[in-house]
Amino acid sequence: MPTSQASDSYDLIVVGAGVVGCSVAWHAAALGAGRVLLVDRGGIAEGTSSQSSSILRTHYSVKENVELARRSWSVFTNFAAYLDDPEADCGLNRCGYLIVGAGDERGEAVRASLAQQRAMGISAEEIDAKQALELLPLLRTEGLDVFGHEPEAGYADAYLTATAFARAARRRGVEVRQGVRVTGLTTVGSRVVGIETDAGPIRAGTVVCAANVWTNRLLEPATGLVIPLVAERHEVMAFEAPEPYLPRYPVLKDMASASMVYARCYGRSQLLASPGLAGHATDPDEGQADVPLDVVADLGEQVAARLRSFEEAGVASTWTGLYDVTPDWNPVLGPLPGWDGLQVGFGFSGHGFKLSPAVGRLLAQSALGLATDVSLTPYRFERFDEGALLVGRYGKGAVS
Ligand SMILES: Cc1cc2nc3c(=O)[nH]c(=O)nc-3n(C[C@H](O)[C@H](O)[C@H](O)COP(=O)(O)OP(=O)(O)OC[C@H]3O[C@@H](n4cnc5c(N)ncnc54)[C@H](O)[C@@H]3O)c2cc1C
């Protein structure tokens, strides 16, 4: 039940206005959280959300992620109605997802993950090379044995999604404060009762921390816990080839390439591509970094080996982004051990956008003491110490 009255006091404060925090704030308001504040040191979606490739798929080897992605997909495909805002747009392109592999361990993991999806009622078929070429005429099928197709998938726009959640949250009465840095948590015993900011303290019934790569800096001093989180730099490139990579072509995941490259249409004709391996640990506050020429050349060669016409491609642009990586490349969702009044959502490890609608609702439910739609236990913080890591057939990595 809402309790607070004073203007510097809220029932719920969400720290971080990325796509996760904006989703939490909207869901909290929709669930009747009372006075809700969303606070960010910058602007809405100016953190890692604005760097996202924004691919949406339910293809995972970790079945808990399949469930969160499936629930989120139903929000992305019904976005304006879900937010009760006819102008809300997440930029969805339902172009499908094509995952290809060789006849090796990774290829078998693709097959097993497709079977798991089907067992969960998701359309995810193994198709043949001819069908794959119909979907993606540029595909070079040499050396490929496995072609998995998920028609209900594609990509959207994380910036649009976050700003739409924020606007809908405002309409439901959420207060949004931008340009306010949270410097710490206010605690009484083992309870979090508010936040310290560069604009003064603010009291809260519950604090939800959605500060991504900056989470450990904020939570470790206040809680005394060691937060297992590494900021990792990843490179993304846009290529332009004589033949366009059309918007109707599926998102491509190439498990047969050395770097497990992912790619999708960018704009109307370019190809956005990125290596799917671990990146480089770095300072979370680093801005855009140079993409070394050897990285560009290496990715370009892998793309050209898989897509016709891309041997003649030029590099249109490059950029970098930060993943918030946990030891098992899956997020931590829910409370922290030994602490009341605090919920966290961090460690999305390069695949959090596609989960953000479901995660927002689950964290809001958890913060309000409601039953969650699905159990958050698999995503508990304690799993790292318990050795109960969330790792599937793909091992550690953003494909998860
Ligand atoms: C290059 C790249 C490609 C990706 N591709 C995909 C993809 O294809 N599909 C997919 O599902 N996911 C993808 N992801 C992951 C996905 O984009 C992220 O998981 C998601 O955007 C994270 O959202 P967030 O809200 O947790 O974090 P952020 O957007 O980083 O938001 C965190 C916010 O917290 C604020 N903050 C931090 N510290 C403080 C403080 N002390 N006080 C106040 N505010 C603070 C920051 O300013 C920031 O706005 C990708 C990520 C990257 C980097």
Side-chain angles (χ1 to χ4, degrees):
M1 284 292 288
T3 51
S4 67
Q5 296 297 328
S7 61
D8 63 346
S9 178
Y10 293 83
D11 297 293
L12 186 82
I13 294 179
V14 183
V15 180
V19 72
V20 172
C22 292
S23 173
V24 173
W26 183 81
H27 282 97
L31 290 168
R35 295 195 70 215
V36 179
L37 173 68
L38 174 62
V39 60
D40 200 291
R41 63 182 188 168
I44 291 162
E46 280 181 5
T48 68
S49 294
S50 62
Q51 305 157 344
S52 186
S53 304
S54 303
I55 291 166
L56 306 175
R57 56 170 160 99
T58 63
H59 189 99
Y60 276 105
S61 66
V62 173
K63 71 174 187 313
E64 288 83 357
N65 291 340
V66 180
E67 186 56 37
L68 297 192
R70 183 230 303 260
R71 287 168 179 270
S72 296
W73 175 253
S74 71
V75 174
F76 286 116
T77 52
N78 188 31
F79 198 59
Y82 188 78
L83 290 188
D84 193 21
D85 176 358
E87 290 171 16
D89 182 7
C90 62
L92 179 63
N93 178 9
R94 300 170 82 148
C95 57
Y97 183 76
L98 179 64
I99 180 164
V100 298
D104 56 7
E105 208 177 318
R106 279 193 208 156
E108 284 313 311
V110 173
R111 282 204 168 101
S113 299
L114 291 167
Q116 177 175 264
Q117 284 176 289
R118 286 194 298 276
M120 293 172 74
I122 294 168
S123 171
E125 301 303 325
E126 205 176 318
I127 59 176
D128 60 25
K130 187 164 165 287
Q131 290 169 308
L133 272 169
E134 281 163 16
L135 293 168
L136 182 52
L138 300 176
L139 188 69
R140 293 186 202 275
T141 57
E142 300 83 14
L144 297 179
D145 290 290
V146 185
F147 304 86
H149 182 224
E150 184 181 329
E152 286 296 307
Y155 59 89
D157 184 316
Y159 182 84
L160 281 180
T161 303
T163 50
F165 267 123
R167 185 172 71 167
R170 275 199 185 99
R171 286 184 175 177
R172 292 222 179 215
V174 172
E175 196 178 320
V176 182
R177 291 196 207 171
Q178 301 178 61
V180 174
R181 178 185 296 271
V182 180
T183 53
L185 301 180
T186 318
T187 58
V188 174
S190 61
R191 182 164 192 92
V192 174
V193 295
I195 56 174
E196 308 291 325
T197 81
D198 56 9
I202 310 174
R203 293 186 69 80
T206 304
V207 173
V208 180
C209 182
N212 198 271
V213 283
W214 301 276
T215 299
N216 33 6
R217 283 191 182 169
L218 202 53
L219 296 187
E220 284 184 350
T223 63
L225 295 166
V226 175
I227 308 287
L229 184 67
V230 176
E232 257 196 18
R233 184 198 311 146
H234 284 254
E235 292 95 4
V236 188
M237 283 151 245
F239 295 99
E240 184 148 359
E243 282 195 56
Y245 197 98
L246 296 171
R248 71 165 184 273
Y249 294 166
V251 171
L252 177 65
K253 179 71 178 179
D254 184 2
M255 298 298 279
S257 64
S259 305
M260 298 195 289
V261 172
Y262 71 77
R264 67 159 175 90
C265 177
Y266 184 59
R268 308 300 297 170
S269 61
Q270 293 181 355
L271 182 82
L272 176 159
S274 181
L277 299 175
H280 328 273
T282 190
D283 181 332
D285 281 331
E286 93 168 8
Q288 279 297 305
D290 287 337
V291 178
L293 277 179
D294 59 327
V295 175
V296 176
D298 183 50
L299 182 64
E301 276 171 25
Q302 293 185 64
V303 167
R306 188 57 65 219
L307 293 174
R308 238 178 357 87
S309 186
F310 279 78
E311 63 277 9
E312 293 176 60
V315 180
S317 50
T318 66
W319 63 94
T320 59
L322 298 180
Y323 288 8
D324 51 336
V325 178
T326 63
D328 62 6
W329 284 69
N330 276 302
V332 173
L333 304 174
L336 286 182
W339 289 94
D340 294 322
L342 177 65
Q343 300 281 325
V344 300
F346 70 84
F348 294 96
S349 308
H351 58 99
F353 173 58
K354 67 180 68 60
L355 310 178
S356 59
V359 163
R361 181 169 157 87
L362 291 166
L363 285 180
Q365 289 173 325
S366 186
L368 296 175
L370 303 171
T372 52
D373 295 339
V374 295
S375 171
L376 290 181
T377 304
Y379 296 97
R380 68 196 177 282
F381 178 86
E382 296 91 322
R383 73 180 187 271
F384 304 117
D385 281 344
E386 294 167 359
L389 299 188
L390 268 176
V391 179
R393 298 172 201 90
Y394 292 131
K396 295 175 188 176
V399 63
S400 193

